[in-house]
Amino acid sequence: MKLNCFEDVKRLTCEMVSIPSINKSLGGESALAQYVYDFYRSLPYFQRHPEQTILFQTEDDFIERHSALAYVKGTKGTSNRTVILIGHIDTVGVDDFGAIRDYAFRPNELPQKLLETFSLSPEVIADIESGEFMFGRGVLDMKSGVAGHMYLIKYFSEHPEELDGNLIQIAECDEEDNSHGIITAIDYLLDLKKKENFEYVACINADYSTNYDPDDNNRYIYYGSIGKLLPCFVAFGKESHVGSAFKAFDPNLLIAEVTREMSLNTDLCDISHGEVTVPPISLKQTDTKPEYTVQTALTAFAYYNYFTHGIGPDSVLEKCKAVGEKAFHQVIEQLNKRYAKYCELSHIDFTPLPWKTRVYTWKEFYDHAAQKHGMPFVNSMTAFAENLQAAQPQMDLRQFSLAVVEEAWKWYEDKSPALVLFFGSVFSARIEMTGKTDAERALLDAVAYAVEKIGPTSQRSIKTRMFYPYISDSSFMALCDTRESFNAVAQNMPSWKIKYYHDVDKILEINVPVVNIGTFGRDGHMLTERVDMYHTFQNVPNITYETILQLLN
């Protein structure tokens, strides 16, 4: 059976886009969660079963925001098999819209405003003129995906006899920042597992995808998901007056060399199942001087996006430490060459500079100080991190980690230059779908069947790939790395269990295979963000519907 869902999903999408839900905006994410919750509460099924829809606040969050959850219990049989649908309701900001930012939330009016206001590319103009795309902030990433899931929950609430099992939908906040929404939702999934005896068998995300190049006309479904880590480096230098420049060790120079070795280095790409990640790239680089002085900088800081397909956090840590050691060695070699040249020009004797390569992981850095200073160091560091979090709960996670590392440096008697490597952001786990388990094979087969069934009427070429290429909340549904590999994250995060915690035990209680059957469009996170309406409003819900039926037949 083919669902005639286009108009309903389109209407839900328009209504959700009209509710601004910019990440961390006051009340925005909660307002949209309330809309989703009210939609479910208006349905006859949930009026009979009000306990099966929940509006919940995020835990351990510095602002108040909410997510919504609803579930339908099938009546076709007695199976406890349960499929999880996830999708996020927050968006990035709208500063890029400039003077017409209010129109970012008006899909029907925005295209004309874009034409009147900006010089648009021929591709964007063609998509406006085609009438096949809806524009607006969050329309692609990913309110239209949530709208499709809402439609399916409504449909199955009216037809529970089609399900031999159960269907849960989570509309979660805070995907664009620190994933508080899905992390909190895990507790609710575990409560339902205990309360309803749910057996989780698969997760279907509806996050966005786009074409790989202008001539790519395919629409994509992704098994599994890319992993993402944020390796951070802190360089501690040796200060000097600028008039004695060669007595200094400039941490900015070291961090610049780390960036040169890290950023877009294709030797650091991760290849698995014939698919390759983009290489790491710099996301921030700075020193920590608060104001101008003629003293050289004491500390510099940088971090880098690092995607993974097949390698774990321990391998990433090892590769990044090797980069740091190489960069440090090259800087020392370069400084000595330049100093030798300066000595020649100045007619003074050259003596090699005293610098030695010193690169630590956070675990090595912390353990060295703990061994030297014992419990006074351990207790002081714990108190510092706890007090900092209590005083500044809104502090950026990366800046928090930097502050902790700088505090540990105060305990070091040896102040010669050093480089410290740590992980500084939310851990997004890679998820590989290899067919190695019954659950993975069932999901792979179900999606293949759905694509084959919907394909002839889809008006689009639909292809499958192995790794969803963008960071998403899918990463919280399973763990493919070993515990030993994951320990590289736990042991090398200065914020661990104070400001951030990735509870592997809880995730392993869910641990389901993941597929992304999501929205399709162009220019995610841009002012020309737009969604292919026919594929997203018609094909995606139908492919998802057929996949669910195959899993819960």
Side-chain angles (χ1 to χ4, degrees):
M1 183 183 74
K2 186 175 182 181
L3 304 176
N4 294 316
C5 50
F6 182 95
E7 291 299 333
D8 285 345
V9 178
K10 180 180 180 181
R11 175 182 56 79
L12 289 169
T13 300
C14 280
E15 291 178 0
M16 284 196 288
V17 171
S18 72
I19 302 172
S21 56
I22 296 167
N23 188 279
K24 295 188 291 292
S25 64
L26 185 62
E29 293 164 271
S30 292
L32 191 50
Q34 185 72 52
Y35 168 87
V36 177
Y37 177 75
D38 290 343
F39 171 81
Y40 288 136
R41 298 284 285 193
S42 70
L43 302 177
Y45 178 89
F46 293 106
Q47 290 174 359
R48 297 193 301 272
H49 305 285
E51 74 284 359
Q52 289 177 217
T53 182
I54 305 167
L55 183 72
F56 60 91
Q57 185 175 341
T58 52
E59 299 173 354
D60 301 321
D61 204 350
F62 64 91
I63 61 172
E64 181 178 327
R65 50 186 163 189
H66 294 78
S67 301
L69 177 153
Y71 62 97
V72 174
K73 300 171 71 173
T75 59
K76 184 177 182 181
T78 59
S79 172
N80 289 323
R81 293 192 306 273
T82 303
V83 172
I84 304 166
L85 306 178
I86 63 172
H88 69 87
I89 55 176
D90 62 317
T91 74
V92 295
V94 293
D95 288 346
D96 49 340
F97 285 83
I100 65 163
R101 60 175 52 89
D102 289 346
Y103 287 88
F105 311 110
R106 305 180 195 174
N108 294 326
E109 302 172 59
L110 178 59
Q112 185 58 40
K113 270 293 177 183
L114 290 173
L115 289 170
E116 294 171 358
T117 308
F118 299 104
S119 177
L120 304 175
S121 71
E123 182 186 55
V124 173
I125 294 171
D127 285 347
I128 290 174
E129 292 175 348
S130 74
E132 296 179 359
F133 289 82
M134 179 185 287
F135 287 70
R137 175 57 78 231
V139 65
L140 172 64
D141 185 20
M142 57 164 290
K143 293 181 178 182
S144 54
V146 175
H149 286 174
M150 292 165 67
Y151 174 90
L152 289 170
I153 290 291
K154 177 179 182 294
Y155 175 87
F156 283 115
S157 77
E158 295 165 351
H159 304 279
E161 72 281 357
E162 294 186 22
L163 294 178
D164 185 10
N166 314 290
L167 186 65
I168 297 178
Q169 193 266 336
I170 305 169
E172 71 270 13
C173 64
D174 190 35
E175 189 266 359
E176 298 289 358
D177 188 17
N178 287 327
S179 295
H180 283 95
I182 195 66
I183 291 171
T184 301
I186 289 170
D187 287 333
Y188 286 86
L189 289 173
L190 294 179
D191 287 344
L192 290 173
K193 181 179 180 181
K194 182 178 181 180
K195 173 186 171 184
E196 301 282 9
N197 294 314
F198 285 166
E199 175 195 349
Y200 298 123
V201 297
C203 174
I204 303 174
N205 197 355
D207 217 331
Y208 90 95
S209 63
T210 190
N211 49 314
Y212 285 85
D213 58 65
D215 295 325
D216 181 9
N217 293 313
N218 296 311
R219 306 297 186 256
Y220 292 98
I221 291 171
Y222 296 93
Y223 301 117
S225 185
I226 202 167
K228 184 251 176 138
L229 289 152
L230 193 80
C232 306
F233 289 87
V234 182
F236 294 105
K238 178 68 175 72
E239 77 284 3
S240 173
H241 189 285
V242 293
S244 304
F246 280 106
K247 291 184 179 181
F249 185 95
D250 182 7
N252 285 321
L253 181 61
L254 177 54
I255 283 294
E257 187 67 13
V258 172
T259 296
R260 195 179 72 84
E261 289 292 334
M262 282 283 291
S263 199
L264 298 180
N265 181 353
T266 53
D267 290 340
L268 300 175
C269 292
D270 185 16
I271 303 173
S272 183
H273 301 283
E275 297 183 12
V276 59
T277 65
V278 296
I281 191 167
S282 170
L283 292 177
K284 186 177 181 67
Q285 180 174 315
T286 183
D287 64 37
T288 60
K289 286 181 67 172
E291 57 191 17
Y292 173 80
T293 70
V294 292
Q295 182 188 58
T296 60
L298 291 169
T299 308
F301 177 49
Y303 50 77
Y304 310 86
N305 186 81
Y306 202 123
F307 283 141
T308 63
H309 281 167
I311 63 173
D314 54 345
S315 294
V316 173
L317 190 72
E318 181 182 349
K319 289 175 183 290
C320 290
K321 186 178 181 184
V323 167
E325 290 171 342
K326 181 180 179 181
F328 212 132
H329 176 76
Q330 289 174 168
V331 166
I332 292 172
E333 187 177 66
Q334 182 187 72
L335 285 173
N336 274 298
K337 287 181 179 178
R338 291 179 177 178
Y339 183 50
K341 180 66 174 177
Y342 175 78
C343 290
E344 180 184 344
L345 294 171
S346 302
H347 305 292
I348 59 176
D349 292 335
F350 166 72
T351 302
L353 296 168
W355 318 129
K356 304 294 183 184
T357 296
R358 296 173 71 202
V359 181
Y360 301 92
T361 65
W362 168 245
K363 183 180 186 305
E364 293 167 343
F365 191 66
Y366 182 94
D367 287 352
H368 180 81
Q371 185 176 7
K372 176 76 173 177
H373 299 287
M375 290 309 297
F377 168 78
V378 172
N379 293 336
S380 177
M381 290 301 300
T382 299
F384 175 83
E386 290 177 346
N387 291 338
L388 182 61
Q389 174 63 6
Q392 301 184 54
Q394 77 285 359
M395 190 176 189
D396 178 81
L397 183 56
R398 289 130 297 264
Q399 293 298 130
F400 179 93
S401 298
L402 171 61
V404 173
V405 176
E406 289 181 311
E407 181 68 17
W409 178 246
K410 295 176 182 177
W411 290 75
Y412 270 68
E413 291 89 354
D414 183 358
K415 295 295 186 183
S416 57
L419 188 64
V420 181
L421 164 65
F422 62 89
F423 291 127
S425 193
V426 172
F427 172 58
S428 296
R430 66 183 183 89
I431 299 180
E432 284 187 284
M433 284 270 290
T434 62
K436 63 183 178 294
T437 66
D438 290 342
E440 287 185 7
R441 287 191 292 273
L443 182 54
L444 289 166
D445 290 345
V447 173
Y449 172 86
V451 171
E452 183 178 0
K453 184 166 183 180
I454 300 303
T457 59
S458 66
Q459 302 179 23
R460 306 289 190 271
S461 173
I462 301 171
K463 303 291 185 182
T464 58
R465 292 176 66 98
M466 287 305 301
F467 294 97
Y468 181 65
Y470 310 115
I471 304 160
S472 79
D473 283 342
S474 296
S475 290
F476 293 87
M477 293 292 102
L479 183 72
C480 290
D481 295 308
T482 64
R483 279 187 177 272
E484 291 74 19
S485 177
F486 174 75
N487 283 341
V489 176
Q491 295 169 351
N492 288 283
M493 287 194 76
S495 62
W496 190 250
K497 288 190 175 180
I498 302 294
K499 192 174 183 68
Y500 174 73
Y501 181 52
H502 193 90
D503 197 326
V504 171
D505 291 327
K506 289 180 179 180
I507 290 170
L508 288 176
E509 285 192 60
I510 298 170
N511 211 41
V512 291
V514 171
V515 65
N516 194 86
I517 307 172
T519 70
F520 183 90
R522 308 194 219 280
D523 296 350
H525 291 201
M526 297 169 64
L527 66 90
T528 49
E529 174 182 357
R530 58 202 184 275
V531 70
D532 175 347
M533 290 191 288
Y534 186 83
H535 183 71
T536 301
F537 301 164
Q538 185 66 24
N539 290 337
V540 168
N542 272 280
I543 296 169
T544 307
Y545 169 77
E546 295 293 346
T547 300
I548 292 167
L549 289 186
Q550 288 300 302
L551 292 168
L552 303 180
N553 58 29

